[in-house]
Amino acid sequence: MFAPALIAFAPNDLAPDGVTLRAAASANPPPHLHTEIIDDWSRLLRLRREWDRLWRAVPKARVGQSFEWAQACWELALSPRGAKLCCVAVWEGELLKLLWPLAAARQGAWRVARPLNSQTSEYSSILAEPLMLEKAVPLALVALTRSGLIDALMLPDVRSDEPLAEVLSNLGFPVVRSQSAPLVRQALF
């Protein structure tokens, strides 16, 4: 029901069918929607109230998507190992609509971002208001590619029955079966 997903970014942001993520991101975006890359813990800390509001607004929010969980993972495991924050926030006006907490670490020559969670016991998902994933995930992926902070995005344990799997598949990162578990795969190099 779940498996890892790896999205490697190429300089031109091309999906397999030749449609760019930029084009997907600009197709009918909600008014006043904009992204922010957060690479500083103090900025993320200032978002706590808005993060908590978003977490309460999402009907199926998991404990691993809470600020407290991310803070514990960051302070106890990721920061001490030299990881760098590369979180994505999508805003509609002054309201946080999507938060994708990520941390990047070197893996050979690559800077690989993974969810800012325990990375062993949580599903990969994105904290987003209902109906926001389809509009905001393309914007978030474009923001990540343009940030220059990462070379690849690893999403361990993506559930095939979650909206994230469908959204990624619709963007050209198809959900496939591998060793009896679905995964999103795309090589862009």
Side-chain angles (χ1 to χ4, degrees):
M1 190 124 135
F2 57 89
L6 174 66
I7 300 172
F9 295 121
N12 61 3
D13 307 333
L14 287 178
D17 61 0
V19 176
T20 67
L21 287 172
R22 258 184 238 101
S26 64
N28 302 316
H32 311 300
L33 204 62
H34 63 279
T35 58
E36 176 186 7
I37 298 292
I38 301 163
D39 60 359
D40 178 64
W41 181 256
S42 64
R43 172 64 180 134
L44 204 56
L45 190 58
R46 288 192 308 272
L47 289 181
R48 181 178 184 162
R49 186 172 303 203
E50 202 45 34
W51 186 334
D52 289 343
R53 182 208 56 81
L54 179 60
W55 188 78
R56 285 188 306 275
V58 175
K60 293 185 179 181
R62 296 187 178 95
V63 69
Q65 295 174 308
S66 68
F67 175 85
E68 292 81 3
W69 189 275
Q71 183 177 25
C73 292
W74 176 249
E75 291 177 354
L76 299 174
L78 298 170
S79 180
R81 287 192 240 152
K84 306 291 183 200
L85 284 178
C86 55
C87 305
V88 184
V90 177
W91 299 86
E92 189 170 31
E94 306 247 342
L95 286 176
L96 183 63
K97 295 293 187 170
L98 176 144
L99 184 62
W100 202 352
L102 301 165
R106 284 258 173 220
Q107 192 167 337
W110 291 58
R111 295 164 299 172
V112 180
R114 291 181 172 79
L116 183 59
N117 62 26
S118 67
Q119 300 186 14
T120 59
S121 62
E122 287 293 313
Y123 292 114
S124 287
S125 59
I126 301 173
L127 186 62
E129 285 190 3
L131 308 175
M132 188 53 64
L133 279 178
E134 188 176 333
K135 299 278 187 196
V137 168
L139 293 172
L141 288 172
V142 168
L144 282 170
T145 64
R146 290 180 179 167
S147 74
L149 295 173
I150 68 170
D151 302 305
L153 172 61
M154 182 65 167
L155 302 174
D157 302 331
V158 175
R159 289 182 57 105
S160 61
D161 61 349
E162 290 265 333
L164 176 59
E166 183 178 344
V167 168
L168 290 174
S169 181
N170 290 342
L171 288 172
F173 304 103
V175 176
V176 297
R177 292 260 173 212
S178 175
Q179 299 175 354
S180 75
L183 65 97
V184 180
R185 84 182 154 100
Q186 175 62 47
L188 296 177
F189 49 91

